[in-house]
Each structure stands twice: as structure tokens, then as C-alpha cells.
Amino acid sequence: MAYSIEQIRHKQWLKLKNPFNDAGCLEVYMNNDWYRVTGNDFRAWSGKRRITEHHIVRGNHRTEQYEYEGPVYAKGTNIEYIGEVVNRVVKRSEINE
């Protein structure tokens, strides 16, 4: 598929949505264990996801860990995936528009 100049320019400036704290430790659950992943894989993972945040205030270290249940996007896009949990990264080709 050929892209027009306008489409290419728009794609270069498209900012991906990250409705979560990407400064925390991002993890996904697969094969009975938690694995640390990048923000791009985290936002596209259709399965259990969790975030671990570290807070340090005046030498006091506190850890907060919670399961994330926000939207899932197709990898590399802002197209939201609404479907069954498949426990893997959702690709653009799997989205029916």
C-alpha cells in the first residue's frame, strides 16, 4: 500500500497514547510468571498487566504495586482493541475496522 505525503507526515507526528505511568516497572503475565516489558509491548498486551512504582520521600522508600486494567491498543497504533483476552501482543492486522 502506498502512502501519500500527507499520511507520512501525519504518521511521523502521531503520538502514541500511554494512559499509565510508564516510569514504573511494567510487567505482563505469561507462562505462570511476570515479565518486565517496554511501554510499547505493555500497551499492546491483551492479558494480565501490572505496574510497580517506587516512591522515595526523605529517605523513606515505599513500593506500590497494582494490576493495570486500562485500554489495550494494537501495537504501534492508537486503535483500541476490544475483544477477548488472548495473552499476547495484539497486532494491527488483528483489528477489524
Side-chain angles (χ1 to χ4, degrees):
M1 170 184 218
Y3 292 102
S4 69
I5 298 291
E6 291 79 23
Q7 289 172 322
I8 292 171
R9 286 184 185 149
H10 177 71
K11 190 174 183 180
Q12 289 174 345
W13 297 105
L14 182 66
K15 181 167 172 59
L16 297 178
K17 297 176 186 175
N18 281 339
F20 51 85
N21 179 8
D22 57 355
C25 175
L26 308 175
E27 297 174 309
V28 299
Y29 189 77
M30 69 176 152
N31 300 331
N32 298 323
D33 208 359
W34 289 96
Y35 293 92
R36 190 169 186 179
V37 295
T38 64
N40 288 334
D41 288 338
F42 185 82
R43 66 191 298 278
W45 183 261
S46 174
K48 290 172 108 179
R49 301 177 283 176
R50 77 177 179 191
I51 300 174
T52 304
E53 298 175 348
H54 296 274
H55 304 282
I56 301 173
V57 178
R58 292 188 285 266
N60 185 16
H61 182 249
R62 184 173 51 91
T63 303
E64 180 182 352
Q65 187 175 76
Y66 56 93
E67 200 160 318
Y68 179 74
E69 296 181 3
V72 176
Y73 298 100
K75 187 165 177 105
T77 71
N78 281 332
I79 300 170
E80 191 171 345
Y81 171 74
I82 299 172
E84 63 183 48
V85 176
V86 291
N87 287 321
R88 61 181 161 77
V89 171
V90 176
K91 298 176 183 165
R92 169 73 171 92
S93 60
E94 298 174 41
I95 305 285
N96 295 330
E97 290 188 306

